[in-house]
Structure formats: structure tokens, C-alpha cells
Amino acid sequence: MQIICISRGSQGYGTELAEKLSQSTGYATISRETITDKATEYGIPVGKLEMEILRNRPLSEEMSIVADMYKAFATAQTCERALNENIIYHSRMGHLALPGLARVMRIRAIAEPEYRIKRVMDRLKITRKKAKDYIDHIDEDTRKWTHILYNADLSDTSKYDLTLNATNLSAENAAKALASFAQLPEFQETPSTFQDLQDLLLAANCRLAIGSDDRSRSVNVGIQADKGNVSVTYMPRQSKEAKTIPDVLKSIKGIKSLVCTVATTNVLYLAEKFNPDDDHFLNLIEIAEKWNAAIEIVRIADKDEKPTEAPLENKQQVLRANQGETGGILEDSESPIPSAEPGFGISETVDKLIQVGHSGGARTIYGGTDALLRSLSKTEQYSLVAIGDVFSSKGAAAQRMKREMLGKLKDKFRVPVIGTEDLKAKYLFGPKQLFNMIGFAVLFALIYLIAFNFQEPILTFISKGQFGGTVYDKAFSALAVVVCVPIVAFSIGGFFSNFLKLLKVE
Amino acid sequence: MPGMLGEMFVQMTYPIALQIILLGFIGGILSGFIGSGGAFFMTPGMMNLGIMGPVAVASNITHKFGKAMVGSKKHGEMGNVDKKLAIFMLITAAVGIRLAVEVMKALFSNQDGQSASGGAAADLYISIIFAVILSFVAVSMLADLIKSKSSDETGPSTKIVEFISRLKLHPLIYFPVADVYVSLWVILICGLATGYLAGTIGVGGFIGVPAMIYVFGVPAAVAAGSELYLAMFMGAWGALNYAFEGMVDIRCTLLLYGGSLLGIYLGAYGTKVVKEGVIRLTTGVIILLCVLSRIVAVPVYLQKLGISNMDPAYNFYFNLASKSLLFVSGISGALIIIFFVQRAYFQRRKLEASLSLGEAPNSA
């Protein structure tokens, strides 16, 4: 299979380009409009979702599920076709379809404003001003849709492999060039991308099944599939409905194992190798326990490493725990666990996470940091990203490269990103925190002792503004208040923060 | 404390100190739970303890400064702060605060320029603003809740956003984190109102956050984070202004911190385990009871100002009723939140225990 995604933004040029390319290559075309119609027929209220987004309303829980269902439907439709034939998918944000999938050719079709205005005037028979307003509205609506649904920016050129300008290049010639461009080895299918495509389809089908069944349609889930091993995470308050998930997913073909984890939030753990007995990893589990979080592990494979298609080494019986109302791990069968390429400790680590009830799935991303940044979706709701050992082959440069990676991930997700070696100091209670807590407590007590033993002189000093002080007196006392208050707040806040860490209430 | 100092500041006894810590604790829980505010409970609570209104407001806004510094750091880490928006609002919010301080100063001083009897006028003014603004907030909150239950409408209404965007009041400024275009004039007006209320009753967030959501169209999480960032500067500016006028009772600020910085963590934890509908219902009811408590105290101020001929002996009962209403609303609200927090905490412990005892998987 080959997948070409065209992101349209040129008032007809993109569609024309897709059609011409289809004629010259014989590839099937799929447009967003077709998918939207089918999704509506399927029962997903796409029109209502569009209205909510275009009216700039924050999505409610119900609408977030609709958005999730729509994305899953679009992914399922595209993947299903792509597994059987070569396809050209075109939409206003076509490049965002099949997120993270490598070897997809992503094209942006643009045109200069004058070209677009003229096309709209000709097509709709309206005045120039109306055509311009119309285009502005369409662009604004597309921007909102892209931002809310994919947390992406259409103008980010790094997301495209090629940009074509309708003003300078006819659709016919552009199609010819693209047909030849598509022959490049970078856009050809590999066993790994074929597997990824199957996993995307499996995850999307699971999402659709959960959202379509009366027993589980209200559950807001996160789903990952890796070589047929599916992990589902859900919120604790939806535990009752989520218990039906294994039953709902029984009919889905291709599931090798299923792990359902109750989680308030997700933590992403990135490394080149994993060790379930590593102290840093145990710290991460402790944090997940405190936060009721699922840990998703992602192995970063080096640029030069080829994906292994080797059979998985371990088999395991997935825990069938009786978790009562709070949920936990459910089902399923004797089956391999995710991404278990030998020698990287993934299977053992996932095993450990299943045991403690915090598995959020596992996968491997090939191609180093760049591929990692491309593959991780910005729409994922992580609370923390922890980075273990990476760039081990880079020697002295490893630390610097890890720091750069921390910065890039922070920019991408806007959540705390931290090296696993710093987890304990920042999130757990240890000797350092005990020392800090005692220090803050002493400072806290000292401030109170001074303030309440010398009430009169202190109040006399800071109330000069009321009792005839000079401007300098007033300014000095005001400054003293403004300087002292943050110190007091941080010492008392620091004490309570550490105290609650000790009690594991965060 | 002798003389004028004694007239201005309350005699700090152990019971009063403990009650201020309790006010801080409950205010902190509510603040962490709602995402903004807290002063709506603490300021009237302090006034019920005999602390003059302007001193209560001044001490509270000073307390808000440090609290917002701690809170906005967390929100910043989560990417929920639109600094550009907060800074634009700050331009006029600072003017609003200064204006509020001037009004308060004028009301606080009587005709001789002394602060003795002027306290009642300032207290009455604060109570009226409190009652009007908070009634509006609580009623809107509850109405929104009922509406969302009875119709398909989801999320906050965008009618005002749509109306203002149709006016196209240039210059329009783009705020990248919130992802909205807002007219500079609209921002400046909302900033002024937020600053004025923060300076008058210490709860600018009750105007700032709804303004960002309903007027600017900012997502709720970004509105709360940006308001906290704004509150840090407004708090600093308010503290500077009130401290310059000598109205801050630093003891009250310290005691409030003693309770609020613990409460705020528990309240924030509560939002993770309580359903959104329950959060909004609890908040709306607590605010309405706080309003009622302030209204009950109004006859006392009217009597002190000589506007009403009520027998001063009744003042005690009105004060008691006002104080009881406030504490009942605050304590019951805090207890509901603590109930959910402790339930979630023990459920998690139970889950961990069941996972570690006898449920271990069998590796094949």
C-alpha cells in the first residue's frame, strides 16, 4: 500500500490535484467529505461537533467523546482502504490523518490570496469583498477545527513533505511530479509501517466498538494497540461502565491481548532500554500510584535500528484481578505482551506495570528523536513525561542531547518533562524532602513567633500610612510587606507541599 | 493595643487567631476546588470577627499575592497560562485597583479624616458590592448548571463572544495560548472591572475568569491559569497600594496562609475526584449562603451609620446570624469536599492493597 495525504487550502486546486494524481497513478481517492457523510450515517453527530468547535466552545465530556469517535471513524476508514490498496486522502487538514504513521507522503496544496478570491468569485458568483470574507471565514473555521481536534497549526511547514503552489503550477503538471515523487523509497511501505497501520486500525475499531455499545458509550477511554496487544485506560469514576469493555471488545478481530487500566491521568515514560527493577522506574510507579496514573512506555529505537519482526519471547497470563468498584486490570488471555523485542526489557516492564495496575501500553518508535516528536500526538493528555536512559551511544554528548530532548518535549506537550533521575527529588518524599519540610517548618514557626511576639511594633511600622507617616515611611513599610509576603507564602507552602507528599495526597 | 492602633486593628486573641486560620483553611479548600476565589469567604468571615472591612480586604489581597504566586507556578507548568492576555488585562486592572483603594480610603475616613466611624460606611459599601456581584455569579452558575442538564447545549454560552466579534472593534489582538482574537478595548474594560473588584472585595477572579470565558472565548483551564497569573500581579499591586495606606494587618495575612495553603492543595485534589456538576452545585450554593450572610449583616452597618433606628442591642444577634450562616456554608462545603477527597484516598489505598495481596499474576 501507499498513502498520499493532501492538505487542501486553495479553493479547489487540492481536489483537482487529487483527482489528476488518481488518474495518473490509479490510486483510489478518499475525501474528508465522504468520510464525514459515512460517519454521520454511522451515527456520529459530526454536524453538532462542527458547530461546537466553530462556535469556539470548549468541548464538554460528551462532545470530547464525539470528537474521539469521529477521529477513530476517519482513521478506521482510511486504514481499512490503505491496507488493501494505494490511496490518496484529501482534506483541509489531510496531513493530520493517520498521526505518527511513517512513510506517508504529506502534501500541502496552497495558492496566493488573489488566486483563491478569483476561484471563489467564479464558483459562487459573488463580489470580491464577499469572496474575501468567505475565504477568511473558511480559514478561521479550519484553524479552529485543526486546533481543537488535533492541537496542530496548519501553517507549521515542518509537517509537510512538499508544498505546491497553485498560482505557479497547474494541477496536471503537479500530479505528474507527485506521481514520480511517490516512487521515492522514503514513501514505500515496510513491514513495520504495515504493522503500524494494522495497529491504528485495531485501536480505531476498539474505540468505535466502545463508543457504539450502550453499555460503554459514555466511557472516555484512551486506546493503544501494539502488534495486536491493546491497552485501554479509563477514568476511575467510569469504573462501573468500563467493566463491560472486555465483553464489548470480544467481537473485534485481531486483539491478541487486552489490558484495561483505571487511570486519572497518563504518564509517558521514554527510554532506549527498560529495567523493571531499576530504582528510577520504581519511583515512577510510586508516582503513578499517588496520581492514579497509567504509565505508557515508549522505547526510542535508534535511527539505524531496523524493526524486528521476531516472534515475541514471553508469554504471560494477564492478571484477572477482582478490583471491585475502583476497577483495575481486566482480562484477557494467554498472549504475548506489547513490543517485546528481546533485550530491551519491555515485556518485563509491562509485566510489572500490569501487576501494579498502572499499565498504559507500550510501543517502540523507530527513527530517533525526530521520529519520536513526529509520532507522539499532541492531543494525548499526559500529566508528566519522564525520560530514562537515552542516547547511550553518544558518550559525552548524551546529557546535552537529553536536555535538548526535554526542551522539545516540553514545548510540544506543555507539561512537566523530567529525567527519571530527578523524579524522586521533585515528586517523592525522601531525605531531601524531610530536610526541606523541617527547614520550612522552622522558618514558618519563626515567622509566627516574631509576628505575634512583636505585634505592636510591627503594626506601628506597617500602618504608617494611616497615622501620619512621611511618604518615605509609607513607601518603606509597603515595600517591606510586598517583599516579606512571598517569602512567607513559599515557606508555608513549601512545608504543606512536602507534608502532603509525605501523606501521598497530591 | 492602645489608642488608634487598637481602633484600627483587632485585638488578636487565640480564639480569633484560630478562627482566621479556619477561615483560611476553608477559603483555601474552596479556592483550590473552584479554581479561583476563596476571598469571597475569607473577607466577610474576617469582617464577622470584628476586623474592619478595608483592613480585611487589604489583608486578603496581600494574602492573595503570595497564594497566586504559588498557584500560578503549577498552572504555568501545565501550559494553562496565557501571559500575554494577563499582561494586557493588567494594564487597566492596576488602574482599577488604585481606584478601589482611593474609594475605600475616602469611605474609611470620616469628615475629620479619621478612621473611627468611617469603618461602618466602608463595611456597608463592601457588603453591598459583595452581595450584588456574588449573587450574580452564583445565580449564573446555577442557571448554567440547570440549562446544561435540560438541553443539548454544552459548554459555556458564546453569545457575548459572537456579539463582540461581530462588532469588530479594532485593534484585535491574538493570544496564542488561549487561541483567540480579542478587541483591545474589550480587554481594557474587563481588566478595569477585574482590578476594581479585586481592590474592593478581593475577588477579582469572579469577574476575570467569567470575562475570559464568556466575553473573550478563552478555554476554562486557560482562563483559570491566566487569572491566577494576573492575580499575582494584581495582588502585588493591591498589597503595595493598601500597605502604602497602612491598612494591611500582616498578622491576619500570616494566619490566613496557615490555613489556606493546606486547604488549596486539598481543594485541588478534590477537583480530580468530584464530578463537574457537583463542583458547580456546591460552589453555587456556598456562594449564595455567603451572600445571605452579608445581607444579614447590613442592618448593623446601617444602624452604626445612623441611617437606621434599630436598637444597638440587636447588632449582636445580626452579627451572630451572619457569622453562623457564613461558617455553616463554608464548613459544610469544605466537609463535602473533604468527604470526597478522603473517599478517593482510601479507595486508592484499598486498590493498592488488593493488588499487592494474593492477586499477583502467574507468569507462564
Side-chain angles (χ1 to χ4, degrees):
Chain A
M1 58 92 202
Q2 181 162 44
I3 304 170
I4 300 174
C5 290
I6 299 176
S7 174
R8 309 177 315 219
S10 48
Q11 294 305 320
Y13 177 75
T15 311
E16 200 183 331
L17 177 64
E19 279 159 9
K20 298 274 182 206
L21 187 59
S22 170
Q23 282 164 19
S24 65
T25 55
Y27 293 4
T29 56
I30 312 173
S31 71
R32 178 185 171 262
E33 291 70 23
T34 319
I35 286 181
T36 304
D37 290 345
K38 283 187 179 174
T40 310
E41 273 172 38
Y42 183 83
I44 301 170
V46 186
K48 193 173 168 189
L49 175 67
E50 282 175 342
M51 284 311 293
E52 290 294 321
I53 290 176
L54 302 188
R55 288 163 74 183
N56 234 356
R57 284 187 178 195
L59 294 186
S60 63
E61 197 165 285
E62 186 197 339
M63 271 298 133
S64 300
I65 291 175
V66 173
D68 220 25
M69 285 288 283
Y70 171 70
K71 280 161 72 179
F73 187 85
T75 306
Q77 287 283 314
T78 324
C79 289
E80 220 159 69
R81 293 282 294 271
L83 283 168
N84 298 312
E85 58 185 328
N86 298 319
I87 61 161
I88 300 164
Y89 174 70
H90 58 105
S91 122
R92 286 187 187 280
M93 60 288 300
H95 66 300
L96 297 172
L98 309 175
L101 189 67
R103 309 221 163 221
V104 172
M105 199 166 116
R106 294 180 168 91
I107 307 296
R108 173 87 169 135
I110 57 161
E112 285 176 12
E114 274 310 315
Y115 175 96
R116 299 176 72 199
I117 292 170
K118 198 168 175 310
R119 294 276 292 221
V120 172
M121 285 170 69
D122 292 346
R123 200 174 75 234
L124 302 178
K125 310 284 178 223
I126 52 177
T127 63
R128 188 179 148 58
K129 189 183 177 309
K130 280 188 178 165
K132 192 175 175 304
D133 288 347
Y134 172 82
I135 290 170
D136 286 347
H137 271 117
I138 295 280
D139 285 351
E140 179 57 17
D141 291 350
T142 311
R143 193 187 63 78
K144 283 180 196 162
W145 179 267
T146 316
H147 183 78
I148 293 180
L149 225 61
Y150 299 98
N151 194 13
D153 178 6
L154 275 180
S155 59
D156 182 356
T157 49
S158 67
K159 299 285 179 279
Y160 308 102
D161 297 308
L162 195 69
T163 300
L164 299 173
N165 189 339
T167 324
N168 307 319
L169 188 63
S170 74
E172 195 156 349
N173 286 339
K176 278 181 197 162
L178 281 185
S180 133
F181 193 59
Q183 301 312 311
L184 292 173
E186 283 82 357
F187 302 117
Q188 306 311 313
E189 181 200 78
T190 65
S192 162
T193 53
F194 187 75
Q195 178 64 58
D196 289 346
L197 197 60
Q198 282 183 319
D199 284 333
L200 273 176
L201 175 62
L202 181 60
N205 281 336
C206 289
R207 182 66 192 92
L208 289 172
I210 291 170
S212 308
D213 194 295
D214 284 342
R215 292 168 295 170
S216 57
R217 66 171 70 245
S218 62
V219 188
N220 209 336
V221 287
I223 302 181
Q224 291 278 346
D226 189 83
K227 299 189 176 81
N229 303 289
V230 176
S231 359
V232 179
T233 54
Y234 58 89
M235 300 291 278
R237 61 191 153 79
Q238 295 175 315
S239 300
K240 203 174 155 192
E241 299 90 330
K243 274 182 185 166
T244 60
I245 290 175
D247 206 39
V248 170
L249 298 185
K250 251 181 193 166
S251 58
I252 304 291
K253 284 179 189 164
I255 299 180
K256 289 179 186 166
S257 77
L258 171 67
V259 176
C260 297
T261 304
V262 58
T264 308
T265 184
N266 292 316
V267 170
L268 178 64
Y269 177 29
L270 304 166
E272 283 174 350
K273 275 185 182 180
F274 298 89
N275 175 4
D277 300 318
D278 176 48
D279 284 344
H280 298 327
F281 176 64
L282 296 177
N283 289 337
L284 193 60
I285 289 182
E286 204 178 326
I287 292 167
E289 278 168 2
K290 282 205 305 182
W291 294 359
N292 213 351
I295 302 176
E296 180 190 341
I297 67 173
V298 171
R299 184 172 83 82
I300 310 165
D302 199 59
K303 272 182 186 163
D304 308 322
E305 189 184 321
K306 295 276 179 280
T308 56
E309 303 299 325
L312 303 169
E313 57 175 3
N314 282 343
K315 294 242 174 192
Q316 109 158 27
Q317 280 191 319
V318 178
L319 173 65
R320 190 188 289 272
N322 177 17
Q323 303 302 338
E325 204 186 316
T326 47
I329 305 153
L330 308 164
E331 290 282 340
D332 189 13
S333 58
E334 288 184 27
S335 55
I337 51 172
S339 282
E341 285 118 322
F344 298 111
I346 297 183
S347 64
E348 297 83 352
T349 309
V350 173
D351 241 351
K352 176 95 183 176
L353 287 172
I354 292 173
Q355 281 177 36
V356 293
H358 293 289
S359 172
R363 58 188 160 136
T364 300
I365 294 177
Y366 296 90
T369 312
D370 295 340
L372 174 81
L373 289 166
R374 254 199 327 271
S375 300
L376 295 173
S377 170
K378 272 175 95 174
T379 51
E380 291 293 340
Q381 299 287 316
Y382 297 116
S383 291
L384 175 74
V385 179
I387 306 180
D389 292 334
V390 284
F391 306 113
S392 48
S393 60
K394 305 291 179 191
Q399 278 305 317
R400 177 185 56 78
M401 292 172 81
K402 185 172 175 177
R403 270 201 307 278
E404 284 172 8
M405 188 180 183
L406 282 165
K408 285 178 185 170
L409 286 164
K410 214 169 194 169
D411 287 345
K412 178 163 183 141
F413 289 113
R414 290 183 173 166
V415 297
V417 181
I418 189 168
T420 46
E421 63 281 5
D422 298 324
L423 284 171
K424 187 162 187 170
K426 179 126 195 210
Y427 296 104
L428 296 174
F429 196 86
K432 192 181 165 195
Q433 283 67 34
L434 180 68
F435 180 77
N436 283 345
M437 192 177 88
I438 294 170
F440 283 132
V442 170
L443 194 61
F444 181 2
L446 206 65
I447 291 167
Y448 269 50
L449 270 175
I450 294 171
F452 293 99
N453 276 317
F454 302 97
Q455 290 182 45
E456 209 175 308
I458 290 174
L459 287 177
T460 308
F461 170 68
I462 61 168
S463 61
K464 291 246 168 82
Q466 279 296 307
F467 304 116
T470 64
V471 174
Y472 293 111
D473 287 339
K474 290 179 182 181
F476 190 56
S477 60
L479 207 63
V481 169
V482 173
V483 170
C484 288
V485 161
I487 298 171
V488 176
F490 272 105
S491 63
I492 301 177
F495 168 74
F496 283 129
S497 159
N498 283 296
F499 178 65
L500 290 171
K501 261 184 198 168
L502 176 67
L503 297 182
K504 297 188 176 179
V505 178
E506 275 186 286
Chain B
M1 272 175 299
M4 289 193 294
L5 208 59
E7 281 177 25
M8 173 98 178
F9 300 113
V10 73
Q11 188 69 38
M12 193 61 74
T13 58
Y14 281 112
I16 289 182
L18 283 174
Q19 287 181 79
I20 296 177
I21 293 177
L22 184 65
L23 283 171
F25 179 66
I26 297 170
I29 287 187
L30 297 175
S31 167
F33 194 65
I34 301 164
S36 78
F40 74 87
F41 178 77
M42 294 185 278
T43 306
M46 286 162 73
M47 287 165 75
N48 281 336
L49 293 176
I51 296 165
M52 286 196 195
V55 176
V57 171
S59 308
N60 234 312
I61 203 164
T62 308
H63 158 261
K64 179 193 181 112
F65 163 43
K67 194 184 75 176
M69 265 181 116
V70 178
S72 71
K73 191 170 166 267
K74 287 237 164 200
H75 268 282
E77 280 180 0
M78 299 307 292
N80 288 338
V81 176
D82 196 319
K83 291 183 183 173
K84 189 176 165 188
L85 177 61
I87 287 165
F88 267 89
M89 283 185 81
L90 185 65
I91 300 168
T92 43
V95 178
I97 290 172
R98 186 61 225 173
L99 204 63
V101 174
E102 286 299 326
V103 172
M104 201 73 86
K105 209 169 79 179
L107 284 168
F108 195 47
S109 306
N110 63 12
Q111 285 169 337
D112 308 322
Q114 298 303 312
S115 60
S117 66
D123 287 353
L124 179 65
Y125 164 70
I126 292 169
S127 299
I128 290 170
I129 302 269
F130 234 105
V132 173
I133 297 295
L134 295 195
S135 302
F136 180 71
V137 170
V139 169
S140 314
M141 206 176 252
L142 294 173
D144 230 25
L145 184 69
I146 294 165
K147 202 172 123 195
S148 67
K149 291 239 177 215
S150 62
S151 73
D152 279 351
E153 291 281 296
T154 53
S157 161
T158 51
K159 280 179 191 158
I160 306 173
V161 182
E162 283 160 14
F163 172 73
I164 292 175
S165 68
R166 273 200 299 274
L167 293 179
K168 290 203 186 308
L169 299 167
H170 288 280
L172 294 172
I173 298 160
Y174 180 64
F175 298 100
V177 178
D179 188 36
V180 287
Y181 283 92
V182 191
S183 162
L184 175 67
W185 306 111
V186 176
I187 298 170
L188 295 181
I189 292 166
C190 290
L192 187 70
T194 307
Y196 187 76
L197 277 174
T200 307
I201 53 175
V203 281
F206 273 4
I207 287 295
V209 174
M212 286 187 205
I213 296 173
Y214 293 99
V215 183
F216 303 170
V218 172
V222 178
S226 306
E227 202 284 327
L228 214 50
Y229 188 73
L230 172 67
M232 185 170 73
F233 294 103
M234 286 198 309
W237 179 243
L240 202 63
N241 275 277
Y242 274 114
F244 187 83
E245 303 300 340
M247 292 184 190
V248 176
D249 187 340
I250 196 79
R251 302 166 307 166
C252 293
T253 306
L254 292 185
L255 291 167
L256 285 175
Y257 279 136
S260 73
L261 291 175
L262 173 63
I264 203 163
Y265 282 112
L266 294 177
Y269 186 83
T271 57
K272 292 182 191 173
V273 291
V274 183
K275 287 186 177 168
E276 198 188 328
V278 179
I279 295 178
R280 283 156 79 177
L281 181 68
T282 313
T283 309
V285 172
I286 293 171
I287 296 173
L288 272 184
L289 286 172
C290 287
V291 169
L292 201 60
S293 145
R294 249 344 40 219
I295 292 171
V296 170
V298 166
V300 179
Y301 305 134
L302 292 175
Q303 184 276 324
K304 281 185 182 171
L305 286 168
I307 299 171
S308 147
N309 296 324
M310 188 181 77
D311 183 350
Y314 290 125
N315 286 359
F316 170 78
Y317 300 104
F318 276 104
N319 266 331
L320 187 68
S322 168
K323 192 172 165 180
S324 307
L325 258 173
L326 188 83
F327 270 92
V328 164
S329 72
I331 290 173
S332 43
L335 284 178
I336 291 170
I337 299 163
I338 290 172
F339 167 74
F340 281 112
V341 167
Q342 68 83 29
R343 197 176 68 166
Y345 181 78
F346 285 109
Q347 269 181 355
R348 206 181 67 204
R349 286 277 166 270
K350 201 172 133 196
L351 171 64
E352 282 167 15
S354 73
L355 280 167
S356 59
L357 292 173
E359 300 284 355
N362 303 314
S363 292

